[in-house]
Amino acid sequence: MAYARKFVAVATVIATGAVIALQGGTGVAVTKAAARDGGPARTAQTVDKSQTPLAVRDHSAKLVGRLSRAQRLRVTLGIEPSDEAGAEQYARAVQDRSSALYRHFLTATEWNSRFSPTKASEQKVVDWVRARGLTVTKRYPNRLLVDIDGTAAQLESAFGVTLNDYTLNGRSVFSNDRDPVVPSALRSIVTSVGGLDNVATLTSAAGGAGPSTRYSAGPQVQAAGSIQKNGSQAKLDAAMRAKKGNVPAISNGNYDPTDIYTSQAYDEDALHKQSNCCNPFHNPSTQSPAQTSIAIISAGVVQSSDVLGFQAAYPYLAVSGNFINVGGTPTSGDYEGTMDFEWAMSLANSFGCFCDTAHIWMYDGVNAAFSTFDSMYNQVLTDNHAKVVSSSWGCAEIYCTPDATMNTDHAIFNSMIAQGFTLLNSSGDRGAYADCSHVSVSFPASDTNWLAIGATNLELNSSSQYVSQTAWGDVGNCAGNGGGTGGGCSAKYAAPAYQSSISSFCGSTAKALPDVSLNGDWFNSPQNVYYGGSFSGNGGTSISAPMFAGFMAQVNSYGLELGNICGGGTLPCSPIGQAGTQLYLAANTHAAQGKNAFYDITSGSTTNEIGAGFNAIPGYDRASGWGTPNMLQLAWAMNYWNMPEASAPLVTLSGPSTSGWVTGGTISWSIVDQGSPASGVSGYTAQWDADPGDPSSAATPGSGNSFYTGPASAHGATSGSTGVVDGCHTLYVRAWDNIGESAVSTYGPVCVDATKPTIDTVPKVSLIQNSTVTANDVPVKITWTGSDSQSGVKNYRLQESLDGGAYSNVGALLTTTSKVLSLPAGHAYRFRVRATDNVGNTSTYKLGKTFHVNLYEENNGAIAYTTGWTRIAQAGASAGHVKEASLAGKKATFTFSGTQVGFVTNVASTNGSATIAIDGGSAATVNTHATGGPGIVRFVKLSGGPGSHTLVLTVSGTAGHPKIDVDAFAVIS
């Protein structure tokens, strides 16, 4: 590694005896890095190993006087691990896929027995502390720290320093005037002394400096209460329906949790359906297991009333948490911790029983001193309540955080990583200048054991709709935590192996920051925070880190459900551990897994009023890391890189015949994941006539496909069925497994006609022109129309009712939509018809109207003739006679009631033409000069209605063949 783990000690002699000064040489200079994403070049830096603040050494801090010798202070002593190199190696190997130790996490007992300081070493420290009159307030099983308490007088005597009051930039501070010293017997044991000053402290990414409390009485560690509240899936569903993928939010135009859940942000709603956050087996407990619980490290007091106020506004959220004070009893409010609690809770929620949601362990320090945070880090490790750890507090390497502190903390972090912890820290809100003066990055985000979480802007348009995403920057106000996403190259820590693909940014000698980003823009798109009894909007990297912690808790929940199939195929999939390896594999080699789990941020800069920052560019950059995650796709990718199998599931379908038409049926399918051991089926989406698809990437904002939503089925569904639908269709079933691999199978086409045909127009009757009337029978045509949109009409059944009697079949089944019949005159008729399609579906009968058929013979009183007509016998005439006339102008007037009338006549070579007019309308010419014979319906007219009508026939007197015969008139009424 590129960092120096221990001080190079220089021996000095003072009046109290032989001691070793905890100060050292110049350290290792770090080379400049390439600037693919722009920004300031990283200059060579000298590691400052002094434990006396620079402001005291260069007299920037103005001496006020000696600190009251009765002032009590809490101090932490860092202790050297027994096998520092081995601990470092194990922490790296456990996340190296090429190592035999990959995912072989240790228990606390195992780590302590192999790497912790020896009991004898710790006892030497304890004995010396007590001999100097100091109180040991906390010892830890891993023996990496000893917490002590004493007066200024006792501490001065013990460490060979003078403790003074100073003023610095308007602040009242205290500090040691020189580096602390320990006896030579502790030279190889004690690596740091923290708590002798408060000149430099950690700052929160959200609210700047933390509490300045110098001392608080009470136990070093004490429980401070708990909180529980059930949520509601139904209320979440209602809120998501109301959200419709965009804003507005609950108050002041700020984002609320459902905004973040949607595909317009990070697709967490899709992950919710898979991770069963965060007690997937509903173990009988009042809280989630350690793997899926979250520890938040902060300073000040988080009020449970604020958390409950947040939940009251978002009642779909479940709440479960414990509060633990470290370093005494905090009295100052903790805005940062409150925000972290609320948003970690929001992104790792059961939306139901508090017993299943991610339990939040809130560690609040009495102040933001390095020593207090040392103790909190080690307390979180010791308690082992939560495997996901989030903190949004940090301070610049070298220029702020003492090198000794970084070394002590790094030993704690190594132990955490070896035991499967995931450590998440905000990359800082000061752009490329973590101390607002020098090109630098923030610790502990810069530590190889932590993932550094940056921030982006979720840009809104004038309608408050999310339209684009940029790196968070160009905002100025560095000292006010508005300087943009922290990023750059570590001056302390070498690049971890998983960053080898981005060595062009910082080289192999330095870790690059950040790793990934989430929304942090508190100017244009802040997120709601409930603090002090009211809502306000906030953001920055300090809100990104706890949100990503919520995501990691869900990943661990997902892994719990998968069981012991990770590593080489036999190791637990949860906890995931440090997660940098999986994250960078997902970003760099997504082609192997088939997905790009990140939305690349390619615009925006972290420039602020201090100087130039880094630009967002395609791929990795020091402004946004790999970009923002699609949480479902990233969870799948992390699963993928945790286990050996890489096979898609197999979908098998069965159903009705795919040859010809069927009337119905069900298509069923079963899904089996492949690979050994298989990751298991995540779910499926079934869709007609098109593959649901499995895009390898998608844009943000976006929606409408499986990249954003995942499978449509419930998580873990391995079978399903659907009824077939009318028409010829093919069913596509695409199934996903829990590593995001998918495969599609099809069934069809299945041609289905489950719908009855229809009779579109009911049977209607019409007289037939040029047909022949025989005896008393009148030729008519019955017509109708029918249809079937699927298999088509096969035949029709026509039935007749005579004079109101029962219906009877009219001949055989018909394949046409008409039937010619000769109906005896003088009766009432009604027809009905039904259709049968080609798969046997039969419609109901449709009834036509009742009608009468009448035949008025030539001598019927309804017919009036002018003079000149003669009745003669005519063989073949309808009643054996006709009336004839040959002189032009002779008329026959027929008065009738009906809707149709037909003129029945004799057609012969000796006959001629006449005209017919109805109700005074225009006359039509009827030509009877042809071959045919008597009883021919030579004229048919549809009248205007069923009432009384008058028909006038006039002989035309055609030259050579003037004769016209009136045989009868046929009437439909």
Side-chain angles (χ1 to χ4, degrees):
M1 306 298 290
Y3 64 91
R5 172 64 183 85
K6 277 173 47 181
F7 297 106
V8 180
V10 178
T12 60
V13 178
I14 60 175
T16 56
V19 296
I20 300 298
L22 293 177
Q23 60 184 8
T26 59
V28 180
V30 181
T31 59
K32 293 183 178 181
R36 287 181 53 204
D37 51 358
R42 181 166 53 96
T43 57
Q45 296 172 332
T46 299
V47 177
D48 184 355
K49 294 183 178 296
S50 174
Q51 286 196 272
T52 304
L54 178 62
V56 173
R57 286 179 280 144
D58 68 8
H59 305 294
S60 298
K62 303 305 180 184
L63 178 65
V64 174
R66 196 164 185 180
L67 182 67
S68 168
R69 294 173 63 78
Q71 173 69 57
R72 299 196 70 86
L73 298 175
R74 295 181 188 267
V75 172
T76 59
L77 302 180
I79 303 179
E80 176 82 3
S82 63
D83 183 2
E84 176 192 1
E88 184 73 32
Q89 183 180 19
Y90 200 99
R92 304 289 76 79
V94 77
Q95 285 293 317
D96 183 354
R97 281 174 55 87
S98 66
S99 170
L101 296 177
Y102 180 60
R103 299 196 57 75
H104 284 265
F105 298 121
L106 300 176
T107 65
T109 300
E110 289 169 337
W111 195 92
N112 294 342
S113 66
R114 294 177 61 173
F115 305 116
S116 278
T118 65
K119 292 180 180 180
S121 294
E122 184 209 30
Q123 192 61 50
K124 286 182 180 180
V125 174
V126 170
D127 291 344
W128 175 75
V129 165
R130 288 172 173 166
R132 305 301 297 183
L134 298 165
T135 301
V136 175
T137 58
K138 182 70 176 178
R139 298 172 71 174
Y140 300 87
N142 59 29
R143 301 181 290 278
L144 289 171
L145 287 182
V146 173
D147 292 332
I148 64 176
D149 183 330
T151 65
Q154 291 170 324
L155 293 169
E156 286 178 338
S157 175
F159 294 106
V161 297
T162 298
L163 297 174
N164 296 319
D165 281 314
Y166 299 87
T167 59
L168 178 66
N169 299 324
R171 293 189 301 125
S172 176
V173 297
F174 71 90
S175 176
N176 50 306
D177 66 339
R178 72 200 76 177
D179 285 353
V181 293
V182 297
S184 57
L186 302 181
R187 172 180 179 180
S188 61
I189 299 175
V190 176
T191 59
S192 67
V193 178
L196 295 179
D197 77 277
N198 67 351
V199 173
T201 62
L202 288 85
T203 59
S204 80
S212 58
T213 303
R214 294 187 176 187
Y215 184 83
S216 173
Q220 173 68 9
V221 178
Q222 56 185 325
S226 62
I227 184 173
Q228 294 89 29
K229 188 84 171 183
N230 289 334
S232 168
Q233 181 66 50
K235 291 179 180 178
L236 173 66
D237 293 342
M240 292 300 292
R241 286 193 298 270
K243 186 58 57 182
K244 296 180 181 178
N246 281 316
V247 217
I250 189 169
S251 62
N252 305 322
N254 302 326
Y255 280 132
D256 62 28
T258 50
D259 292 304
I260 301 302
Y261 299 160
T262 69
S263 67
Q264 303 302 309
Y266 309 122
D267 313 274
E268 199 198 353
D269 189 46
L271 178 57
H272 288 162
K273 299 171 184 176
Q274 304 295 324
S275 65
N276 288 331
C277 182
C278 277
N279 187 6
F281 299 118
H282 309 288
N283 294 330
S285 172
T286 58
Q287 62 198 39
S288 58
Q291 295 96 318
T292 59
S293 297
I294 301 170
I296 297 175
I297 298 173
S298 192
V301 177
V302 173
Q303 299 289 349
S304 60
S305 58
D306 282 335
V307 177
L308 290 175
F310 188 84
Q311 193 275 343
Y314 307 115
Y316 46 81
L317 295 173
V319 183
S320 181
N322 277 79
F323 301 92
I324 298 174
N325 294 337
V326 177
T329 302
T331 56
S332 300
D334 183 7
Y335 185 95
E336 177 64 65
T338 302
M339 177 168 65
D340 291 2
F341 193 119
E342 291 171 356
W343 280 95
M345 170 183 77
S346 295
L347 269 79
N349 210 272
S350 67
F351 309 109
C353 179
F354 73 86
C355 57
D356 287 335
T357 204
H359 193 81
I360 309 294
W361 292 89
M362 189 72 227
Y363 290 81
D364 264 325
V366 71
N367 55 37
F370 297 114
S371 56
T372 302
F373 273 75
D374 297 341
S375 297
M376 285 195 287
Y377 297 142
N378 209 31
Q379 190 63 45
V380 169
L381 171 59
T382 299
D383 288 345
N384 197 24
H385 292 318
K387 290 296 189 183
V388 178
V389 181
S390 176
S391 180
S392 296
W393 294 75
C395 207
E397 292 179 339
I398 311 305
Y399 303 107
C400 178
T401 309
D403 189 71
T405 295
M406 290 190 280
N407 293 335
T408 292
D409 290 346
H410 185 75
I412 297 171
F413 303 154
N414 275 344
S415 180
M416 285 177 153
I417 296 307
Q419 294 178 50
F421 283 73
T422 303
L423 308 180
L424 306 160
N425 194 262
S426 60
S427 66
D429 286 8
R430 296 177 173 181
Y433 309 89
D435 68 340
C436 291
S437 296
H438 305 88
V439 177
S440 54
V441 293
S442 179
F443 176 87
S446 63
D447 189 287
T448 49
N449 292 304
W450 290 72
L451 289 179
I453 313 303
T456 63
N457 303 321
L458 292 181
E459 299 286 358
L460 306 178
N461 62 16
S462 59
S463 300
S464 294
Q465 294 175 317
Y466 164 43
V467 293
S468 64
Q469 196 164 191
T470 62
W472 183 54
D474 294 320
V475 292
N477 192 24
C478 176
N481 297 99
T485 293
C489 302
S490 173
K492 172 76 172 175
Y493 297 100
Y498 57 77
Q499 284 195 343
S500 61
S501 63
I502 60 167
S503 60
S504 59
F505 290 90
C506 294
S508 61
T509 58
K511 178 187 173 183
L513 285 73
D515 297 296
V516 66
S517 295
L518 291 171
N519 178 49
D521 180 13
W522 59 16
F523 298 98
N524 300 308
S525 52
Q527 294 171 214
N528 271 315
V529 177
Y530 194 87
Y531 178 77
S534 64
F535 270 110
S536 62
N538 214 311
T541 61
S542 59
I543 207 168
S544 304
M547 285 199 293
F548 204 78
F551 164 74
M552 290 306 306
Q554 290 203 63
V555 172
N556 277 346
S557 181
Y558 207 155
L560 271 180
E561 194 170 10
L562 294 180
N564 297 344
I565 59 173
C566 287
T570 60
L571 298 177
C573 293
S574 180
I576 196 171
Q578 197 270 347
T581 294
Q582 294 84 353
L583 190 151
Y584 276 73
L585 282 170
N588 282 300
T589 57
H590 55 78
Q593 195 254 348
K595 301 290 182 64
N596 186 349
F598 295 95
Y599 300 121
D600 195 8
I601 309 303
T602 59
S603 63
S605 168
T606 60
T607 295
N608 58 32
E609 84 277 16
I610 305 301
F614 298 103
N615 301 319
I617 60 174
Y620 179 86
D621 53 67
R622 287 170 287 183
S624 66
W626 286 110
T628 61
N630 176 307
M631 289 187 175
L632 172 62
Q633 300 296 340
L634 183 55
W636 274 346
M638 286 185 165
N639 289 345
Y640 180 94
W641 292 112
N642 271 348
M643 60 185 62
E645 77 112 325
S647 302
L650 175 67
V651 183
T652 303
L653 297 101
S654 61
S657 172
T658 57
S659 176
W661 289 85
V662 297
T663 58
T666 299
I667 299 176
S668 300
W669 57 89
S670 60
I671 307 166
V672 177
D673 193 24
Q674 302 183 95
S676 181
S679 66
V681 176
S682 171
Y684 62 81
T685 299
Q687 181 172 296
W688 290 106
D689 299 324
D691 183 357
D694 187 17
S696 60
S697 62
T700 183
S703 61
N705 63 48
S706 63
F707 188 83
Y708 304 106
T709 62
S713 72
H715 173 54
T718 58
S719 62
S721 63
T722 184
V724 293
V725 295
D726 273 5
C728 293
H729 300 283
T730 298
L731 182 69
Y732 290 74
V733 178
R734 180 172 285 277
W736 285 262
D737 61 15
N738 290 306
I739 58 174
E741 296 289 285
S742 77
V744 66
S745 291
T746 63
Y747 193 87
V750 177
C751 294
V752 179
D753 187 355
T755 303
K756 294 178 180 180
T758 60
I759 300 300
D760 301 314
T761 58
V762 299
K764 297 179 180 179
V765 62
S766 61
L767 295 170
I768 305 171
Q769 192 158 305
N770 296 322
S771 62
T772 301
V773 175
T774 60
N776 195 39
D777 294 344
V778 178
V780 297
K781 187 175 186 179
I782 309 299
T783 59
W784 62 90
T785 60
S787 63
D788 184 85
S789 61
Q790 306 300 338
S791 62
V793 175
K794 181 179 181 181
N795 54 49
Y796 297 94
R797 169 62 71 188
L798 182 65
Q799 291 189 330
E800 173 192 62
S801 171
L802 177 64
D803 295 328
Y807 284 94
S808 61
N809 294 338
V810 179
L813 292 170
L814 300 170
T815 59
T816 60
T817 56
S818 65
K819 177 70 173 177
V820 174
L821 299 171
S822 290
L823 300 180
H827 297 281
Y829 297 90
R830 193 174 192 185
F831 288 87
R832 68 181 187 180
V833 68
R834 74 179 184 189
T836 300
D837 63 22
N838 282 293
V839 292
N841 298 309
T842 300
S843 73
T844 57
Y845 280 102
K846 289 293 183 72
L847 292 168
K849 293 181 178 180
T850 300
F851 63 91
H852 294 77
V853 178
N854 291 296
L855 192 63
Y856 295 83
E857 297 296 337
E858 82 291 343
N859 60 345
N860 191 284
I863 307 171
Y865 297 95
T866 60
T867 60
W869 289 87
T870 304
R871 185 173 186 260
I872 64 172
Q874 175 67 57
S878 67
H881 290 80
V882 298
K883 276 198 173 186
E884 62 180 29
S886 298
L887 293 177
K890 297 300 179 178
K891 298 180 184 294
T893 300
F894 173 48
T895 301
F896 68 96
S897 292
T899 58
Q900 297 180 52
V901 63
F903 170 48
V904 184
T905 187
N906 182 40
V907 177
S909 60
T910 58
N911 287 12
S913 298
T915 62
I916 296 177
I918 299 177
D919 297 333
S922 59
T925 298
V926 179
N927 182 13
T928 65
H929 179 74
T931 301
I936 302 299
V937 181
R938 201 60 170 172
F939 170 87
V940 172
K941 181 69 174 179
L942 300 177
S943 70
S948 179
H949 303 282
T950 300
L951 179 151
V952 178
L953 181 145
T954 304
V955 178
S956 298
T958 310
H961 40 82
K963 183 165 70 76
I964 290 294
D965 294 327
V966 175
D967 190 345
F969 287 98
V971 174
I972 301 294
S973 62

